[in-house]
Amino acid sequence: MKRIITVTVINQSGVLNRVTGLLMKRQFNIESITVGHTEQPQISKMTFVVNVEDEQKLEQLLKQLQKQVDVLKVNDITEKSIVVRELALVKVVSPPSVRAEINSLVEPFRASTIDTGKNVVTFQVTGNPEKIDAFIELVKPYGIKELTRTGVTAFVRETQKAANTPYLSILQ
Amino acid sequence: MMMKLTVEAEQLLEEPATSKAVPEKNGADVFIETLKKHQVEVVFGYPGGAVLPIYDALHKNPIKHILARHEQGAIHAAEGYARVSGKVGVVIATSGPGATNVVTGIADAMMDSIPLVVFTGQVATTVIGTDAFQEADIIGITQPITKHNYQVKDVADFPRIMNEAFHIASTGRPGPVVVDIPKNIATGIFTPREGETEAVNLPGYQPTTTPNFLQIQKAAQAISTAKQPLILAGAGVLFANASEQLKELAEKYQIPITNTLLGLGSIEGTHPLFLGMAGMHGTYTANMAIQTCDLLINIGARFDDRLTGNLNYFAPNAKVIHIDIDPAEIGKNVPTEIPIVADAKEALEALLHQNAPNGNTAAWLESLKVNQEQYPLHYDASGDRGLLPQQVLELVQEYTNGEAVVTTDVGQHQMWTAQYYKFRKPHNWVTSGGLGTMGFGFPAAIGAQIAKPDAKVVSIVGDAGFQMTLQELSLLQEMRIPVKVIILNNQALGMVRQWQETFHGERYSHSLIPVQPDFIKLAAAYDIKGYRIETYEEAKVQLKEALESDEPVLIDCRVVQKESVLPMVVPGTALHEMIGVKPE
């Protein structure tokens, strides 16, 4: 089962390595990982998407992360009401003849054009991973020259829904 | 005629010669100061280029330094020291090969939760990352096998990092911490940071030592209602110095006790409630008790696979109480009904304080006694088979009255020691449990003897493992450390041989070592007295003499090669499926 886990850490060199090394040692497969500063410069936050077999493995993962000296807080936010965002850059083959067509297609995704060449256009799209998947599917027929995704970053919403109503359909 | 001085020059002359009230300190001085502050009396190490400034500071200093002949010897000695003294073992190694030579010991200490602070030298920060001479990324290398590790990047951080290292190594679940010291940090001038205090401030590291009251109540309730309760005591009991409380709980509620390999000594080996060790080479009674108990009280053990056998059939009828200071151990391998995250001593005291009514376990104890009588440990001494390792251990037990500090490597000799040596006191058993390190026992014995100079220290080793670290005989010679090295010499990697016999159709692939050095001559080369023992009759006389000596002694016991450790839980099977329970 896919889980979204946030880890608040002290911002020191080697911490990311320590955390990913721990996951590797314990045979957890990371689907994506993002890291950056929080509102406090000495504290960073990581967001993982990991695939774990069962509840027991998940508990072990959370406990092992919590054990790290540089880790301040570990949260499995999968079941909570959360905001999740990912960014993708997609370079699409786009000769002048179809450019208008592509532009009209990507417009509902609120993707923005951030670079243009003679025959290619680079789009930037942000949103939850599902939306990005859909965007990629949409432009695939035109030919994708290059694609890069950041992985998700997330935190819990201010207002929480009632318990047991999973929010994220991608995690089913 | 006097020269007219400027005002400034006059002032300079008036300044006392010692204008600098505080003399300059470098990193190495800070290192020594901080060691003293942590009451470190002895360090184990080996010098080299990157740690020369540290060694220079040690030269002028009363902290005792034990110069092992290989860094692996130094760190295993520090482990032995830490295990019997309860203090943090301190190791110094140089950069590169010095540091990589301590890796095995670090991994060993991690698996067995031994408090160590390992200082490794490093090339100067200006050349880190350039593949400089004797550079190795020891932080990267040791990260998965340390409780935590540090590289000092600024001399001002050095005391704080050292304080944190000692704190992390010795509190909570103990473990090894590496501090990597670039050479220019050791020589750099130390200027304290403004406003920095001595107090350790680690918001991400707050071990829980006090048990949850509700869980203690639940546990007390479960104990007083159980019909067939069993205590599994691990090394956590020893780390917490909770042997007294363990005994009190067992006696008060009449609960039998079994030990993990590393937990041996937490209860006297001769105590009527003690069933012997459990697990792969545990006693039949202990393993059957696990399989039939209705309440399993795990105190400071981590349910290692060598203990549990096939987890699918482990303790099938038992409600499990698991007391552990490391929350990640609870539920890791065995589902737990009553988890108690706490220091073992605090948890046991809280449990005793509950004063729950006594359950009736008489019938249970009676059935275990029957098992003990019907299925004791056994070996075949009939005919003229030659000297048996079990006989040697029974004699060692007799001659030392179960009071010696005993160290071992891994393998057959280790299991026979665990089976036949009945420890009377805690902290006398030093063995490589989790990592199973050959070459551990002998240097560990040296460290143990340094920790307890008056104790009788016996190192039981195999002929193969001994050859991995025997260069430390040099230390016995130099310091006249009265360790008794008993080699159970079967001219083989005994346990490998046994497994090849059992599981690989007696194909002894590279496990037999027919050509051995003459260990007696080897001992003589180091000016150490040696005995060769080939028969039981010789053993009775010479072993006694050797063990009574005040000098270092090496005893080469030529034991039967084709002797197996039994009984045994074959990997993949359950504890109740032990083989070799009864003589064939």
Side-chain angles (χ1 to χ4, degrees):
Chain A
M1 52 183 182
K2 274 190 196 171
R3 310 298 296 186
I4 299 187
I5 291 160
T6 60
V7 186
T8 312
V9 299
I10 294 173
N11 182 14
Q12 330 212 84
S13 76
V15 176
L16 177 63
N17 197 3
R18 211 175 275 285
V19 169
T20 52
L22 161 73
L23 293 170
M24 185 178 76
K25 174 182 166 186
R26 306 268 173 192
Q27 294 207 304
F28 291 107
N29 187 22
I30 306 172
E31 300 226 332
S32 87
I33 181 168
T34 60
V35 199
H37 291 276
T38 61
E39 68 284 1
Q40 292 162 276
Q42 70 276 26
I43 290 177
S44 288
K45 197 152 165 189
M46 305 179 185
T47 309
F48 297 92
V49 179
V50 275
N51 216 332
V52 290
E53 280 163 40
D54 52 40
E55 289 285 335
Q56 192 235 342
K57 281 260 160 45
L58 172 66
E59 185 184 316
Q60 181 60 202
L61 168 65
L62 300 178
K63 284 174 165 176
Q64 290 293 348
L65 284 169
Q66 188 64 64
K67 234 169 98 167
Q68 295 296 308
V69 171
D70 292 327
V71 169
L72 298 172
K73 201 172 176 186
V74 182
N75 257 332
D76 176 3
I77 60 172
T78 319
E79 310 286 340
K80 303 236 172 84
S81 295
I82 53 180
V83 277
V84 182
R85 288 293 177 271
E86 184 176 8
L87 181 144
L89 300 178
V90 194
K91 191 185 280 178
V92 184
V93 177
S94 170
S97 55
V98 295
R99 193 159 293 182
E101 180 186 323
I102 293 178
N103 280 339
S104 70
L105 274 176
V106 303
E107 210 255 344
F109 286 85
R110 274 172 280 170
S112 45
T113 308
I114 55 170
D115 188 34
T116 312
K118 207 169 158 195
N119 281 309
V120 291
V121 176
T122 302
F123 294 107
Q124 162 194 307
V125 59
T126 55
N128 69 38
E130 237 185 348
K131 173 181 159 184
I132 291 172
D133 289 344
F135 179 83
I136 290 165
E137 281 307 308
L138 195 69
V139 295
K140 205 179 252 169
Y142 297 93
I144 294 175
K145 292 277 280 183
E146 220 177 326
L147 168 69
T148 176
R149 297 173 71 150
T150 59
V152 301
T153 186
F155 53 56
V156 293
R157 287 179 184 276
E158 200 54 38
T159 312
Q160 289 295 303
K161 288 175 155 189
N164 301 326
T165 49
Y167 178 77
L168 263 183
S169 55
I170 57 146
L171 299 169
Q172 301 308 300
Chain B
M1 197 180 109
M2 269 182 72
M3 251 168 65
K4 178 101 173 98
L5 292 173
T6 61
V7 178
E8 288 91 329
E10 273 179 357
Q11 276 176 347
L12 267 177
L13 278 178
E14 278 165 20
E15 288 269 321
T18 53
S19 66
K20 285 175 184 165
V22 186
E24 276 187 347
K25 287 191 284 195
N26 66 15
D29 297 325
V30 170
F31 173 79
I32 302 284
E33 256 178 40
T34 317
L35 286 188
K36 280 187 183 157
K37 211 186 73 197
H38 288 277
Q39 280 139 25
V40 173
E41 287 154 3
V42 56
V43 297
F44 300 84
Y46 204 104
V51 283
L52 278 179
I54 301 271
Y55 271 82
D56 198 41
L58 270 173
H59 185 64
K60 321 169 249 193
N61 204 278
I63 292 177
K64 194 169 175 182
H65 178 276
I66 309 292
L67 175 68
R69 299 308 193 255
H70 184 289
E71 287 88 350
Q72 188 180 0
I75 192 164
H76 291 327
E79 288 184 84
Y81 174 86
R83 183 61 70 86
V84 302
S85 70
K87 297 176 190 163
V88 176
V90 179
V91 181
I92 306 173
T94 193
S95 65
T100 55
N101 277 349
V102 293
V103 166
T104 302
I106 294 170
D108 191 272
M110 185 67 177
M111 290 289 270
D112 289 351
S113 307
I114 298 177
L116 287 190
V117 177
V118 181
F119 295 98
T120 50
Q122 183 55 277
V123 300
T125 51
T126 46
V127 291
I128 289 179
T130 66
D131 303 322
F133 178 65
Q134 293 196 329
E135 180 184 359
D137 172 18
I138 205 64
I139 294 300
I141 291 169
T142 61
Q143 195 190 77
I145 51 167
T146 46
K147 191 168 168 189
H148 198 55
N149 63 14
Y150 293 93
Q151 186 171 62
V152 189
K153 297 197 171 83
D154 184 334
V155 197
D157 293 327
F158 203 4
R160 172 184 62 80
I161 287 175
M162 281 180 71
N163 291 339
E164 288 179 8
F166 276 92
H167 178 70
I168 292 169
S170 59
T171 54
R173 178 180 182 176
V177 179
V178 165
V179 179
D180 197 35
I181 313 167
K183 191 168 183 180
N184 59 324
I185 296 295
T187 53
I189 299 305
F190 173 73
T191 323
R193 284 197 204 288
E194 241 172 81
E196 192 151 295
T197 62
E198 291 284 303
V200 169
N201 176 25
L202 292 168
Y205 177 73
Q206 306 287 338
T208 307
T209 58
T210 309
N212 177 290
F213 181 67
L214 288 175
Q215 298 294 61
I216 289 288
Q217 274 186 324
K218 268 197 221 166
Q221 164 79 10
I223 288 170
S224 63
T225 53
K227 293 272 173 293
Q228 309 199 136
L230 175 70
I231 294 173
L232 171 67
V237 174
L238 296 165
F239 293 133
N241 289 313
S243 289
E244 277 308 307
Q245 289 77 4
L246 173 73
K247 195 160 122 181
E248 205 179 318
L249 185 82
E251 286 174 355
K252 180 170 155 67
Y253 293 97
Q254 287 297 300
I255 308 173
I257 300 183
T258 181
N259 273 155
T260 65
L261 173 69
L262 290 175
L264 288 173
S266 56
I267 182 94
E268 300 101 281
T270 49
H271 195 283
L273 287 167
F274 183 55
L275 308 178
M277 182 175 75
M280 183 174 272
H281 294 294
T283 64
Y284 177 78
T285 311
N287 283 343
M288 285 310 289
I290 288 178
Q291 296 305 75
T292 52
C293 67
D294 62 0
L295 178 70
L296 182 62
I297 308 159
N298 173 351
I299 313 172
R302 61 186 173 88
F303 287 130
D304 177 79
D305 58 279
R306 283 292 191 269
L307 176 96
T308 61
N310 188 329
L311 272 172
N312 296 327
Y313 304 99
F314 178 75
N317 311 315
K319 182 184 244 194
V320 175
I321 300 174
H322 189 163
I323 300 171
D324 206 302
I325 197 152
D326 180 357
E329 287 305 338
I330 298 176
K332 187 181 80 175
N333 297 333
V334 172
T336 301
E337 278 80 11
I338 306 176
I340 299 175
V341 179
D343 171 82
K345 192 181 206 161
E346 288 196 34
L348 282 167
E349 275 172 354
L351 268 176
L352 287 164
H353 196 70
Q354 283 288 307
N355 240 332
N358 233 329
N360 182 5
T361 62
W364 167 235
L365 290 176
E366 192 49 47
S367 72
L368 295 172
K369 194 172 269 172
V370 170
N371 271 351
Q372 273 178 314
E373 278 159 15
Q374 281 187 354
Y375 307 103
L377 290 171
H378 65 88
Y379 58 88
D380 175 18
S382 63
D384 189 20
R385 295 188 62 212
L387 181 60
L388 293 167
Q390 297 94 329
Q391 292 175 322
V392 174
L393 284 158
E394 282 178 343
L395 290 174
V396 175
Q397 152 77 30
E398 186 189 328
Y399 296 149
T400 59
N401 197 22
E403 286 177 345
V405 173
V406 180
T407 76
T408 75
D409 290 355
V410 66
Q412 284 190 317
H413 70 279
Q414 176 191 38
M415 289 299 127
W416 282 316
T417 310
Q419 288 178 336
Y420 289 92
Y421 198 85
K422 313 265 179 261
F423 290 93
R424 296 173 65 103
K425 290 183 198 146
H427 305 293
N428 277 357
W429 172 228
V430 180
T431 192
S432 174
L435 197 67
T437 308
M438 288 175 74
F440 169 86
F442 173 48
I446 294 172
Q449 185 78 76
I450 288 164
K452 281 191 187 167
D454 300 328
K456 179 84 57 193
V457 179
V458 181
S459 183
I460 312 276
V461 291
D463 48 294
F466 182 55
Q467 289 186 66
M468 288 193 171
T469 49
L470 60 71
Q471 74 282 351
E472 306 306 337
L473 281 169
S474 224
L475 270 178
L476 297 198
Q477 172 192 28
E478 176 196 335
M479 299 170 69
R480 300 316 290 173
I481 296 174
V483 164
K484 312 290 177 274
V485 183
I486 299 181
I487 307 173
L488 296 183
N489 186 350
N490 55 9
Q491 300 189 299
L493 310 182
M495 197 59 99
V496 173
R497 191 210 61 79
Q498 178 175 339
W499 281 47
Q500 287 173 335
E501 179 183 307
T502 317
F503 308 120
H504 297 277
E506 300 188 37
R507 292 181 296 280
Y508 299 117
S509 180
H510 305 282
S511 63
L512 307 182
I513 311 177
V515 181
Q516 295 278 25
D518 183 331
F519 287 114
I520 306 305
K521 278 191 189 158
L522 181 78
Y526 287 97
D527 190 22
I528 291 165
K529 194 162 186 195
Y531 293 80
R532 176 170 298 124
I533 297 173
E534 286 171 346
T535 65
Y536 185 49
E537 291 312 311
E538 280 173 12
K540 279 199 268 191
V541 180
Q542 297 199 353
L543 205 52
K544 186 166 205 276
E545 187 183 312
L547 283 166
E548 278 172 359
S549 157
D550 300 329
E551 283 282 293
V553 181
L554 184 145
I555 307 140
D556 180 16
C557 300
R558 298 302 189 94
V559 297
V560 172
Q561 187 175 64
K562 272 202 140 188
E563 181 66 6
S564 291
V565 184
L566 291 171
M568 179 180 192
V569 179
V570 173
T573 67
L575 293 183
H576 60 268
E577 298 172 295
M578 293 190 90
I579 58 166
V581 173
K582 279 205 142 181
E584 279 176 21

